[in-house]
Amino acid sequence: MRSKVTLLNMLSSLLFRVCLVISGFIIPRIVLHYFGSTMNGLVASISQFLKYIALIEGGVTAVVSANLYKPLVDADHDRLSSVISAAKRFYRGIGTIFIVYSLCLAVIYPLASGLDFLFAGSLTVILSIALLMQYMFSITYQTLFKADKKGYIVFLLQSAITLLNVALVYVSIKIYPSIHLIYLINGLLYTIQPLIFDYYAKKYYAIDWKAKPDRNLLKDRWNGFAINLAAFIHNGTDVAVLTVFTGLPTVSVYSVYALVASNGLKTLIQSLVSGIDPAIGQIYARGDMKALHQKMDLYEYIVFFLVFFLFTMGGLLITPFVMLYTKGVTDADYYQPLFGFLLVLAEAIYLLKSPHCTLAYSANQFKKLTVPAFMEAFLNIAVSIALIKHLGLIGVAIGTCVAMSYRMVFHIYFTTKIIPGRKQWFFYRKLLLFLAATGIGVSVCYFGLPLNEYSLLPWLLHAAAYAGILGVLYLVLSVLFFRKELQFIFQYLIKRKQKHEGSAPIRCV
């Protein structure tokens, strides 16, 4: 039963991410087609500034989740109520601060940007509704359900809201084209979420919402603040820097390329490997360093294979896709092949370190990661600002690449401090082998099968051809150099199949 619930949580999480990707491609395309690049850039810019409120949250959600596990297992309703009460009070506080922040932003942003005050200010308020609903009324329930292995409730409801939002936006744009109405629909739909969560929590949990909050609950949350800050800057620095130093059309160009690199490929890989993280944590907790060493090798190989395959495809196809996606939009220059390559590279480097980040977090080494995390954030901002004047989009992408490379190198080194006897060379050997195979694959694809026509059928045919060429190359590489990892994966799949077949009920005859 536990395995079925885990599978349901993984599949529902993947479904939600797929829905987000679908929404992320359709709605910006509608905005571009009806309102232009400046408006698309304006929405991306305001949305990013609104998300800065997440910095106040710090590491609270992780701390709350960790403190919910035991009372849920022990059915300790008093302790559960105390934790939930503290979390609710904290998130309501963030919600109150967010109201003030969003109103200030609604005043300052139009004045600083020179846009129409009423238009930009009202759009800012509308874009803040969904986030406000999350902090004020939803996030406490979400944390509780996920800690109780009922994350599927959250993911399935959010998937339904996301798809319904896409459908209503499509209908509304045909009836009354309004940028305010498009995002007002999204905000109003998110008011449904806390109503359903509240009904479910009252029906299935014995929570005393007036219980005395645990004031000691959040005392350690600052240990993870630097980690959250670095992740936030990775996801948000580029848009902020571009808003300040360039213009909204440039922000629009960045956001469209980010749809592929960040919202698409990175999200897909994070969903595919999300089930591995708990296994690393459990093995570390048991203290079995030999097994941990083996699982890290396997985890590294899986991430390398997925990242190199999908992101090499992305590097080859991202600019033709963007040109196809923005066909008919002429108010900004979306042909940015070097920027597209660098953005894909930055996200690939970000993901390659993920097994080592997982290990460090599982080992509760947050304090030792604080300085590297702040250094990553500093490099990202400093290099981006230094280069943006002369290189524009490319300078921002280089800043991200530099910061990601620094953090990756540090984590490879730090893993050797956690696992005795593990050498950094294990990672870099894989990196060199996959880079060699990628060089061959890119040469064959780019020079042998160049994609010069920006239409759907040629793009699909080239995507299929590139996938075949790269897939064969990485499989040959795996057979030659990663037989142990392949053998483990095949054995695992065979055992799962045998276990499934052996679990069939015995019939009496």
Side-chain angles (χ1 to χ4, degrees), residues 50-85:
L50 285 170
K51 290 177 183 177
Y52 279 10
I53 195 68
L55 289 172
I56 299 177
E57 187 269 343
V60 168
T61 301
V63 173
V64 172
S65 296
N67 282 273
L68 284 173
Y69 295 134
K70 186 172 177 56
L72 285 169
V73 171
D74 296 340
D76 185 346
H77 302 302
D78 292 336
R79 174 60 181 164
L80 180 66
S81 298
S82 180
V83 173
I84 289 296
S85 180

Side-chain angles (χ1 to χ4, degrees), residues 66 79 112 136 141 145 179 211 213 327 384 416 426 430:
R79 174 60 181 164
M136 290 292 282
Y141 293 118
F145 297 156
I179 191 71
K327 190 174 183 179
S384 296
T416 64
F426 297 150
K430 294 186 183 74

